[in-house]
Amino acid sequence: MTARTDTVAAAAEFIDRTLQNEGAWYRADDVGTRLGGVLASYGSSVGAVRGTVRDALRKFKDLDHDAVVMLASVLWGQPRPGAQPVFERRLAAVVLLQSRAGMLRHSDLTRIEGFLRSAQTPELADPLVSEVVAPLLAALPGRDRQRADVVLARWAGDEDGRLRQAAAWLEQEQDPGAVQSGAATRRRQP
């Protein structure tokens, strides 16, 4: 293992353990009911998720771009083989990417695409698009932005409705005066 891999593993363990300690059964039941059981839940509050990510970034302050996206992927995945993905871990991945959006590159859109395809709930997909992808796109210069636009064009024609919806929302955000077919009003979330 490399030092980066060890640091990412330690950060993921810190976040996972803290989220479990912050959980409550009644919130876990609420999340399970609200999401129809598609994701497991520790029952941690949104505030606890945000605070845990903040604390992890303070504790593991040397996370570079590669470590941040690797940590987001670890959190998005299963906590252990055969286990269901956990809502709060995925939300922590979103918060992590939000807090480090300035580090992200156009090449990270493929990883985010995978997250969107497997989000299973607008509670994860919406902030990924509005609070991670939108700021990422806004910060991209010239050729990197052109490369990102190629990815977004592919999303717009994808059979996955989440990607089409994300591409449409992002296009509308870039050109607020544009009216999309069938949608006369502008939505705040994808």
Side-chain angles (χ1 to χ4, degrees):
M1 287 183 126
T2 66
R4 177 183 291 144
T5 306
D6 290 344
T7 301
V8 168
E13 174 59 29
F14 172 81
I15 291 169
D16 189 74
R17 185 179 57 250
T18 305
L19 291 176
Q20 288 184 53
N21 290 338
E22 293 289 335
W25 65 267
Y26 63 90
R27 280 193 301 261
D29 284 350
D30 177 56
V31 170
T33 301
R34 197 172 64 242
L35 301 180
V38 296
L39 296 170
S41 175
Y42 292 154
S44 307
S45 69
V46 172
V49 172
R50 290 189 177 285
T52 298
V53 171
R54 181 194 63 234
D55 293 346
L57 288 171
R58 285 181 184 155
K59 182 177 174 108
F60 302 95
K61 53 184 151 245
D62 295 331
L63 294 176
D64 62 6
H65 167 268
D66 292 346
V68 166
V69 294
M70 190 184 309
L71 178 56
S73 292
V74 169
L75 293 171
W76 196 268
Q78 300 166 307
R80 63 190 174 288
Q84 235 183 341
V86 177
F87 174 77
E88 290 83 3
R89 285 173 53 105
R90 287 187 168 188
L91 185 58
V94 173
V95 171
L96 173 66
L97 293 175
Q98 284 174 321
S99 65
R100 293 299 185 254
M103 290 181 142
L104 299 178
R105 305 174 184 151
H106 69 87
S107 57
D108 295 321
L109 287 173
T110 36
R111 184 178 312 259
I112 294 168
E113 177 180 333
F115 292 171
L116 285 170
R117 287 184 186 277
S118 62
Q120 299 180 318
T121 175
E123 292 178 47
L124 295 170
D126 290 354
L128 264 174
V129 174
S130 64
E131 299 171 27
V132 177
V133 178
L136 164 63
L137 294 175
L140 289 177
R143 292 192 57 78
D144 288 343
R145 179 51 199 251
Q146 291 171 346
R147 290 180 181 118
D149 286 341
V150 170
V151 173
L152 295 178
R154 184 174 46 75
W155 288 8
D158 199 277
E159 64 184 40
D160 188 321
R162 288 174 292 256
L163 292 178
R164 286 194 315 273
Q165 186 178 19
W169 188 84
L170 290 162
E171 182 178 338
Q172 190 171 357
E173 282 299 299
Q174 293 170 23
D175 184 8
V179 177
Q180 298 173 9
S181 61
T185 58
R186 186 169 172 215
R187 299 176 353 163
R188 285 299 313 143
Q189 291 288 324

